[in-house]
Amino acid sequence: MYGFVTLFKKEILRFWKVAFQTVAAPVLTALLYLLVFSHALSGRVDVYPGVSYVMFLIPGLMMMSMLQNAFSNSSSSLIQSKITGNLVFILLPPLSHMEIFSAYLLASVVRGLLVGAGVWLVTLWAGFPPIAHPLWLLAFAVLGCGILGALGIIAGVWADKFDQLASFQNFIIMPLTFLSGVFYSVHSLPPFWFAVSHLNPVFYMIDGFRFGFFGHGDVDPSLSFAVVATAFVLVSAITLRLLQSGYKLRR
């Protein structure tokens, strides 16, 4: 396990050394989203009974920030290692594909949770969102960051340059996170887009996470958990297979 622990520490230190960029900047971005959207849409968007739009928005921004940064952590680490040529120092030691996967994944989860905690702290001025079900909240936060961390590994393995990684993030990750009910309840959408939203796995992550705060969601939390857990298993299995095969890593 020494190899796993060392790689995990390396990944934690990699983003923590530049925490102003990797943690503080996403927190500031989420705060700006809150200020703009709460001012523009407060009173115009129907949300849960007894829940103000600002309170509704905070969990969505927390989860969106966590997911995007969990993806960025693993994907940016791998692409940087590939381009600079130091990936060989990870492949040469007797590290199993499971150890490599676990180290990158857990570091992504840690960064995602740190960003989420930061967003929660800087939005306390708007009020204290209630936490109705803390275990549901934690489960969706960890699984959501795990899924995006695994997707980040896939993107980092697949991409050969930053342009390819940016296209993966801009055309897949960003649309999935923005069109998942972060800024609105899907019940306010027309029937077609309401149905499309239910095909987006990120919707279930955010809705389940929001249920942890308010005890109310757009779908049953058990269904959301089943979708998210299944997605985690499938994405993890694909990632492990890529690492085991050495795809674009051992050439």
Side-chain angles (χ1 to χ4, degrees):
M1 295 295 290
Y2 287 120
F4 159 74
V5 173
T6 302
L7 182 56
F8 175 65
K9 286 182 178 179
K10 174 254 184 189
E11 285 301 302
I12 294 293
L13 290 173
R14 189 191 69 85
F15 79 78
W16 189 249
K17 287 287 186 179
V18 287
F20 193 76
Q21 174 187 346
T22 57
V23 178
V27 170
L28 176 61
T29 300
L31 179 60
L32 293 174
Y33 276 128
L34 179 65
L35 292 173
V36 171
F37 279 89
S38 62
H39 175 74
L41 298 179
S42 183
R44 303 182 185 181
V45 178
D46 293 328
V47 293
Y48 309 144
V51 178
S52 69
Y53 180 68
V54 174
M55 291 296 100
F56 172 86
L57 192 56
I58 290 173
L61 288 174
M62 286 176 61
M63 193 60 162
M64 183 182 74
S65 301
M66 287 190 288
L67 297 178
Q68 290 179 350
N69 282 274
F71 174 85
S72 295
N73 196 72
S74 53
S75 60
S76 62
S77 179
L78 278 169
I79 194 66
Q80 286 172 4
S81 295
K82 290 172 74 173
I83 290 176
T84 57
N86 60 32
L87 186 63
V88 65
F89 298 114
I90 296 173
L91 299 177
L92 280 179
L95 287 170
S96 69
H97 62 282
M98 179 61 77
E99 288 175 311
I100 295 174
F101 168 77
S102 300
Y104 279 104
L105 185 78
L106 289 177
S108 297
V109 171
V110 170
R111 177 175 166 184
L113 294 179
L114 282 175
V115 171
V119 174
W120 182 75
L121 287 174
V122 301
T123 55
L124 289 180
W125 60 268
F128 291 86
I131 300 179
H133 302 286
L135 293 180
W136 278 114
L137 186 150
L138 183 61
F140 281 104
V142 172
L143 282 175
C145 289
I147 292 171
L148 270 293
L151 281 175
I153 298 173
I154 294 174
V157 169
W158 167 77
D160 294 315
K161 51 187 178 180
F162 284 105
D163 289 349
Q164 292 176 327
L165 184 60
S167 67
F168 195 102
Q169 186 161 12
N170 292 333
F171 292 101
I172 298 177
I173 303 302
M174 290 289 284
L176 287 177
T177 52
F178 270 84
L179 302 176
S180 57
V182 172
F183 304 103
Y184 52 85
S185 170
V186 295
H187 286 291
S188 63
L189 297 175
F192 174 77
W193 292 110
F194 176 82
V196 170
S197 295
H198 284 73
L199 301 177
N200 182 0
V202 180
F203 159 71
Y204 296 95
M205 301 177 202
I206 291 178
D207 193 65
F209 185 73
R210 193 172 270 138
F211 175 85
F213 276 96
F214 305 118
H216 186 85
D218 290 320
V219 297
D220 187 274
S222 298
L223 173 61
S224 294
F225 183 79
V227 172
V228 172
T230 301
F232 176 74
V233 171
L234 290 175
V235 174
S236 297
I238 294 171
T239 308
L240 284 168
R241 179 57 186 158
L242 286 176
L243 292 174
Q244 186 178 25
S245 68
Y247 174 72
K248 286 197 172 184
L249 296 177
R250 295 181 174 90
R251 295 193 257 185

